[in-house]
């Protein structure tokens, strides 16, 4: 019987104790090799910030759809920011039973990446005037959790036998940061006639590292080697998982782990995932690791595809991925 994902105290990452940080790195390395998921405590994020973000998000989701439409993703254009309604996002070609808001690094329209390059998934966020506190809270959350994600990657580098700054030097100097706020209503309300329906179907994440905060309502399940396990929903614990890009770059030493969401509770479930991904122009290439990689796991993956055949830049890869989750929107604003 699987007892769940590993829990790692990352308090040493906020110190100058190299030996202690290395021990955290080796614990993360073991978790990534065995589960692809782990939870962290001792991260230092103020609970008041999380609670304020949760309250503001609930205020937004309680607004009528006609009001939320003012910040819909279609208004975000190539920046790929804004709100989408229940069922508006696809996973494996099926509508998710969730609504949400897409955010990212705040980049002004005069920034060369926007004004000159017209780079997709870069630009200003869309914040609702009806919930004025939401914007500042989101921007603070982006800063705090991005810094934490970089420190987790630094520890991971130590666990892989690389210098602590390897990711920051080669992949995440200018990271692609994607932040989502999701609301999952109870399935017995939104899909009462579909007992096998999931809030989000089985999938893996695209990039390097995901840091997820939950609101205490369970629903996240992870596919371990021994079957599906439920991930505890403690709001003070941050759940981390690796994505397909880290699977690709480690040559399969770290496996991106399939997961899904099914909200069978009687109340809404809110989640706050932040995705730390490589720089837009970073090349998809293997990390300088010793030893032969494991065999390709394409036949056992949820999508039966190989992540180890990916080449090119991360931006090109990500653009192809996100266009599939909102195909109608992608055909309008991303081409």
């Amino acid at each position: 019987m699987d007892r769940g994902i590993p829990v790692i105290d990352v308090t040493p990452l906020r110190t100058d104790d190299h030996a202690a940080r290395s021990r955290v790195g080796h614990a993360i390395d073991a978790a990534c090799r065995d589960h692809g998921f782990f939870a962290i405590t001792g991260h230092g994020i103020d609970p008041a910030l999380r609670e304020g973000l949760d309250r503001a998000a609930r205020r937004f989701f309680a607004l009528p759809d006609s009001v939320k439409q003012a910040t819909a993703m279609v208004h975000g254009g190539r920046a790929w920011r804004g709100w989408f309604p229940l069922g508006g996002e696809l996973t494996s070609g099926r509508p998710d039973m969730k609504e949400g808001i897409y955010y990212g690094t705040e980049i002004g329209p005069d920034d060369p990446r926007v004004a000159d390059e017209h780079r997709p998934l870069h630009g200003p966020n869309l914040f609702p005037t009806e919930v004025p506190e939401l914007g500042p809270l989101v921007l603070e959350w982006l800063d705090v959790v991005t810094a934490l994600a970089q420190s987790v990657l630094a520890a991971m580098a130590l666990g892989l036998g690389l210098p602590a700054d390897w990711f920051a030097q080669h992949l995440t100097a200018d990271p692609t940061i994607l932040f989502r706020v999701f609301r999952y209503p109870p399935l017995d309300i939104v899909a009462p006639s579909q007992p096998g329906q999931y809030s989000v179907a089985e999938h893996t994440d695209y990039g390097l590292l995901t840091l997820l905060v939950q609101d205490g309502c369970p629903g996240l399940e992870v596919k371990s080697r021994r079957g599906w396990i439920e991930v505890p929903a403690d709001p003070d614990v941050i759940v981390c998982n690796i994505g397909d890009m880290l699977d690709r770059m480690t040559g399969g030493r770290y496996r991106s782990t399939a997961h899904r969401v099914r909200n069978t509770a009687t109340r809404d479930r809110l989640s706050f995932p932040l995705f730390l991904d490589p720089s837009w122009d970073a090349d998809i290439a293997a990390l300088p690791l010793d030893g032969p990689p494991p065999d390709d796991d394409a036949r056992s993956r949820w999508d039966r595809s190989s992540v180890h055949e990916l080449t090119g830049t991360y931006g090109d890869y990500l653009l192809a991925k996100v266009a599939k989750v909102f195909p109608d929107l992608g055909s309008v604003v991303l081409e």
Side-chain angles (χ1 to χ4, degrees), residues 112 133 209:
E133 69 273 26
L209 180 67

Side-chain angles (χ1 to χ4, degrees), residues 277-294:
D277 291 353
S279 304
W280 189 258
D281 293 329
D283 289 328
I284 297 174
L287 275 64
L289 303 177
D290 295 330

Side-chain angles (χ1 to χ4, degrees), residues 237-317:
V237 174
I238 296 179
V239 176
C240 302
N241 68 277
I242 60 177
D244 292 342
M245 193 52 47
L246 197 54
D247 189 334
R248 162 70 177 88
M249 291 182 166
T250 61
R253 292 169 177 82
Y254 291 177
R255 296 295 197 194
S256 53
T257 303
H259 49 288
R260 63 192 184 191
V261 177
R262 191 163 189 262
N263 182 15
T264 59
T266 57
R267 64 179 178 89
D268 285 352
R269 175 183 186 270
L270 263 60
S271 71
F272 305 87
L274 182 140
F275 305 88
L276 177 70
D277 291 353
S279 304
W280 189 258
D281 293 329
D283 289 328
I284 297 174
L287 275 64
L289 303 177
D290 295 330
D295 293 335
D296 196 333
D297 67 340
R299 286 179 295 180
S300 62
R301 275 177 56 92
W302 65 280
D303 58 356
R304 302 296 187 268
S305 67
S306 173
V307 300
H308 304 289
E309 298 173 356
L310 299 172
T311 58
T313 66
Y314 183 72
D316 289 341
Y317 157 81

Side-chain angles (χ1 to χ4, degrees), residues 8 43 62 68 77 103 109 139 172 179 196 212 244 307:
I8 301 170
H43 47 72
K68 289 182 280 192
Y103 296 117
L139 295 178
T172 61
F179 176 50
L212 169 71
D244 292 342
V307 300

Side-chain angles (χ1 to χ4, degrees), residues 8-14 24 28 38-44 148 152:
I8 301 170
D9 183 354
V10 298
T11 301
L13 301 187
R14 295 185 282 121
V24 171
I28 291 174
F38 56 97
I40 60 174
T41 61
H43 47 72
L148 173 62
V152 171

Side-chain angles (χ1 to χ4, degrees), residues 138-199:
V138 165
L139 295 178
E140 183 177 359
W141 188 263
L142 282 165
D143 288 343
V144 170
V145 181
T146 297
L148 173 62
Q150 293 277 29
S151 70
V152 171
L153 273 185
M156 187 182 293
L158 293 175
L160 286 165
L162 300 171
D165 64 351
W166 195 93
F167 286 102
Q169 288 287 330
H170 298 279
L171 285 179
T172 61
D174 179 25
T176 304
I177 301 296
L178 309 174
F179 176 50
R180 314 292 187 235
V181 180
F182 293 139
R183 179 184 77 91
Y184 303 90
L187 281 171
D188 62 358
I189 294 177
V190 296
S193 62
Q194 304 176 57
Q197 175 72 45
Y198 283 89
S199 303

